[in-house]
Amino acid sequence: MKLKSLLCLAAMLPLAAWAADPLPAFHGDAKQSSVSGLSSGAFMAAQYQVAYSASVVGAGVVAGGPYYCAQGSLPGTVACMAGPPPQPAQLLASAKLFAAAGHIDPLADLAKRRIYLFSGTQDNTVRTPVVDAAASFFQLAGVPAAQIAYQKQLPAGHAQITPSFGNACGATASPYINHCTWQGQGYDQAGLILKHIYGALQPKPQTTSGKLLSFDQTPYASAGSSLAAEGYVYVPRACFAGQACKVHIALHGCQQYAGKVGDAFYAHAGYNEWADDNRIIVLYPQTTTSAANPQGCWDWFGYTGPAYAWKSGLQMRALKAMADRLVSVP
């Protein structure tokens, strides 16, 4: 068949015929997974860490607040961004009730976890008192102060921070990735998050040798979950070679999903370089917009239903299923 005919045939095929490949599986330990995120992804990261504390070893919360901050209410997001947020003790009381009912893991596991928090001094979207409340929540929940790293001195806007990619440090603008300098060096937020969670890491290489793949998210996307058809995952070469790997889930913020900013987050947030020689698979799940979610945010306030902050929440169980699949080879 001639090339022109093939192209015509391709144009007539349904979109489903061109779906991305299934999410691959590798050797690893599902109980060594971790999570981080920016903005709505940060609220979601804190939510995921608390709900799955038995298996998630640490979280990075970049411009986000405490677990269950909005308490299932869209109006509740106002206080959870501009402040003052609800009292951490009140939110912890809710978490204890959820744990007692089996909706989330026992909170005692949080004492073993490591938390990184960040608030830029120029961030007027999610203000520092909200991130302060997240720090207080984790301490009240049993995370020792020595296991919490909190940076709130950089003159950064509302963004993920890298050493060299993105907007100027103080900006709050798409794609919500800024480059900042701290103590004479580029601020490598992805590296700091991963090192705080996992301890000493191999230095990042000059060039990456793994593969950045797209995958079909539809098997994980329940009706109303606001998950995009396609997600992304960075897989180091060692994981393809059969070595045991762990998973870090990196969650974009509102208006930062791939359909809006392309590869800015999943290719340039800084995680892939650190993952390469440290056998860390980086999962970049993606949201999309919907009538209930016009900005493509992760659900930290209840637009997917009242169980949103529990392990049974539509997005929560999808993230866990994706992370577990990546390291499911015996």
Side-chain angles (χ1 to χ4, degrees):
M1 190 179 290
K2 294 182 179 180
L3 177 60
K4 185 176 180 181
S5 298
L6 285 170
L7 291 173
C8 290
L9 178 62
M12 292 186 291
L13 286 172
L15 184 61
W18 299 98
D21 291 334
L23 187 63
F26 303 93
H27 291 279
D29 184 354
K31 292 187 176 180
Q32 287 295 310
S33 68
S34 59
V35 64
S36 66
L38 166 69
S39 193
S40 74
F43 282 96
M44 189 70 172
Q47 185 170 289
Y48 190 85
Q49 172 66 86
V50 173
Y52 290 107
S53 60
S55 58
V56 179
V57 299
V61 179
V62 181
Y67 177 81
Y68 204 55
C69 187
Q71 300 176 82
S73 164
L74 179 59
T77 63
V78 176
C80 291
M81 296 174 69
Q87 289 297 311
Q90 174 189 346
L91 301 174
L92 181 59
S94 295
K96 288 179 177 178
L97 290 175
F98 298 159
H103 296 311
I104 64 176
D105 286 344
L107 297 181
D109 289 308
L110 286 171
K112 299 176 284 187
R113 307 313 177 203
R114 302 183 66 83
I115 309 297
Y116 167 99
L117 302 120
F118 180 89
S119 178
T121 63
Q122 302 303 307
D123 187 342
N124 294 313
T125 304
V126 176
R127 296 181 180 270
T128 298
V130 175
V131 190
D132 289 345
S136 296
F137 175 92
F138 281 113
Q139 285 189 285
L140 289 172
V143 182
Q147 292 166 209
I148 298 175
Y150 187 6
Q151 168 58 265
K152 54 179 178 178
Q153 296 175 284
L154 263 72
H158 189 66
Q160 178 88 14
I161 310 302
T162 75
S164 57
F165 179 84
N167 301 319
C169 189
T172 295
S174 185
Y176 304 101
I177 300 176
N178 294 356
H179 59 84
C180 295
T181 299
W182 177 246
Q183 296 180 340
Q185 297 183 350
Y187 190 77
D188 195 339
Q189 190 164 68
L192 289 166
I193 289 171
L194 293 175
K195 285 188 282 188
H196 181 69
I197 293 171
Y198 290 116
L201 297 177
Q202 294 296 319
K204 62 182 181 182
Q206 292 296 315
T207 58
T208 57
S209 60
K211 292 183 180 180
L212 186 58
L213 309 172
S214 62
F215 69 92
D216 182 9
Q217 276 193 162
T218 58
Y220 308 94
S222 304
S225 64
S226 199
L227 290 178
E230 202 166 273
Y232 301 89
V233 61
Y234 183 81
V235 184
R237 182 171 54 182
C239 307
F240 281 111
Q243 295 187 41
C245 294
K246 42 191 171 278
V247 176
H248 182 76
I249 306 170
L251 301 172
H252 61 74
C254 298
Q255 300 189 57
Q256 201 185 31
Y257 54 97
K260 180 82 170 182
V261 301
D263 70 354
F265 188 75
Y266 66 79
H268 300 290
Y271 293 100
N272 301 342
E273 293 81 358
W274 283 102
D276 223 26
D277 287 343
N278 291 288
R279 302 194 304 279
I280 300 171
I281 299 168
V282 187
L283 174 65
Y284 296 98
Q286 298 292 309
T287 62
T288 189
T289 56
S290 65
N293 181 31
Q295 297 188 68
C297 303
W298 290 100
D299 187 11
W300 60 279
F301 50 88
Y303 72 77
T304 61
Y308 76 96
W310 301 346
K311 293 191 292 182
S312 59
L314 298 186
Q315 291 182 357
M316 297 281 277
R317 69 191 190 206
L319 295 178
K320 188 67 164 63
M322 289 184 224
D324 288 353
R325 162 69 181 173
L326 282 167
V327 288
S328 60
V329 176

